[in-house]
Amino acid sequence: MSPGAAGVHPGPASRDEGTFMPSEDYDSSLLGHAVPEEKRRLELLEETLDPISQTHLAACRIGEDWRCLDVGAGNGSIARWLSGRCPRGEIVASDIDTRFLPGPRSETRIKVIQHDVLTDNFPPESFDLIHTRALLVHTPERDDILHRMTSWVKPGGLLVIEEPFFIGHEDSEHPVFRHLMRAMEQILRDIAGTDMRWAHGLSQHLHSLELRIEAKTLSPLICGHTSPVDRLWHATVTQLRPGFLSSGLLPGDEIDAFLDLLNRPEFLEIVFCLSSITARRPA
């Protein structure tokens, strides 16, 4: 996609639709934790992706006494799931903003840590398993973060990385969908340097760190059949609406047309794929 591709609509935005200022990081953006609607959007993300993540993690044969880290834990659903698998272990849930994570009274075996993955570290070789999902694509320092995360895994331990990427929307027969996805990719890039193509090569990135790939799955997330994906994408587009309008990337009538398209019987499209890979650090 080029910046001047069809479907990118420059021009003034409506003042009554809210304003958008480019952010220096994802967490302070329209999709950050401080946005009132974000907790519900994260719940929809969990509803959509947790079955995939849990199936992938279940194949790791997690030990009951393992020490596990969930980086960018969001609402904490995966940390809670891991706590059920590690009754004699410890689960650490980290995020730059921990407001949605369980308090110590609700989950005594989950240790919640406020942690900026760009600047903060954990001791080397301190976890049996590290998991992250939909984190690395949203920071330009993703390769450095992946390298540092690898160092936190014990020799013989596992790194489970799950990241989304866009694919195929350029070939959609629905112009409104093509325009929306182009604008979505651009606005995410503007927010914090998000690269929604990076994870297409996730296996290669992990192999370059001399990790042994043990399992990999590719899961297409499909809009158009009244699934949780529909609700997730409706919430995400609605939350980004001020940014689309103020930046001139997408006019209000095209946003409304896409939201209407979600409910039409002829609409069925892959909105993104989730790449889930388990890699083992050599003993």
Side-chain angles (χ1 to χ4, degrees):
M1 180 191 75
S2 63
V8 178
H9 304 270
S14 302
R15 294 186 179 272
D16 62 351
E17 294 282 4
T19 57
F20 163 71
M21 294 295 292
S23 303
E24 293 184 357
D25 60 79
Y26 186 86
D27 194 60
S28 62
S29 74
L30 291 166
L31 300 180
H33 282 28
V35 177
E37 298 82 8
E38 180 63 4
K39 181 171 175 56
R40 175 55 182 156
R41 197 186 71 85
L42 288 177
E43 290 170 351
L44 291 169
L45 185 71
E46 290 172 343
E47 185 180 352
T48 301
L49 300 184
D50 277 8
I52 298 169
S53 299
Q54 291 170 10
T55 298
H56 193 84
L57 285 164
C60 293
R61 299 180 181 178
I62 298 169
E64 291 189 353
D65 61 348
W66 280 18
R67 189 166 190 254
C68 303
L69 170 65
D70 190 26
V71 183
N75 280 353
S77 64
I78 293 300
R80 288 190 293 271
W81 184 88
L82 286 169
S83 73
R85 294 296 181 117
C86 304
R88 295 185 290 108
E90 181 184 42
I91 308 302
V92 178
S94 73
D95 207 303
I96 194 171
D97 188 330
T98 61
R99 73 184 73 189
F100 300 148
L101 289 172
R105 291 183 180 179
S106 60
E107 294 285 351
T108 56
R109 285 187 300 102
I110 295 179
K111 182 178 182 181
V112 174
I113 296 179
Q114 185 174 11
H115 178 272
D116 185 346
V117 75
L118 295 177
T119 56
D120 300 334
N121 274 303
F122 288 98
E125 303 180 0
S126 54
F127 294 99
D128 299 285
L129 181 145
I130 295 178
H131 171 265
T132 192
R133 184 177 71 191
L135 171 73
L136 296 174
V137 296
H138 294 303
T139 171
E141 297 86 355
R142 57 189 66 86
D143 292 315
D144 177 63
I145 293 169
L146 186 58
H147 184 270
R148 288 192 293 114
M149 286 174 59
T150 301
S151 74
W152 306 337
V153 180
K154 295 177 182 179
L158 298 176
L159 188 62
V160 180
I161 307 295
E162 300 189 282
E163 293 292 333
F165 63 91
F166 287 165
I167 185 171
H169 60 260
E170 300 93 341
D171 299 322
S172 172
E173 64 180 12
H174 301 286
V176 168
F177 178 68
R178 293 199 306 269
H179 298 172
L180 183 283
M181 294 300 290
R182 288 185 187 127
M184 176 81 75
E185 187 166 11
Q186 183 63 53
I187 201 169
L188 290 175
R189 185 182 299 116
D190 293 344
I191 281 173
T194 295
D195 185 350
M196 289 302 298
R197 309 288 174 149
W198 178 81
H200 201 188
L202 181 56
S203 182
Q204 183 177 349
H205 297 307
L206 292 167
H207 183 73
S208 71
L209 295 172
E210 299 182 351
L211 301 172
R212 186 171 74 245
I213 306 298
E214 298 216 333
K216 51 186 176 181
T217 58
L218 194 62
S219 306
L221 283 301
I222 299 170
C223 265
H225 50 29
T226 62
S227 71
V229 186
D230 291 23
R231 297 189 290 276
L232 170 64
W233 222 237
H234 190 287
T236 301
V237 170
T238 300
Q239 209 162 306
L240 288 173
R241 185 184 186 100
F244 288 136
L245 295 171
S246 295
S247 65
L249 284 170
L250 208 62
D253 59 347
E254 288 216 25
I255 299 171
D256 294 337
F258 171 75
L259 296 177
D260 177 68
L261 186 63
L262 283 174
N263 298 316
R264 302 191 57 172
E266 69 271 21
F267 181 65
L268 193 69
E269 294 282 355
I270 296 173
V271 291
F272 65 93
C273 288
L274 185 71
S275 180
S276 304
I277 299 183
T278 298
R280 187 176 298 276
R281 185 175 180 183

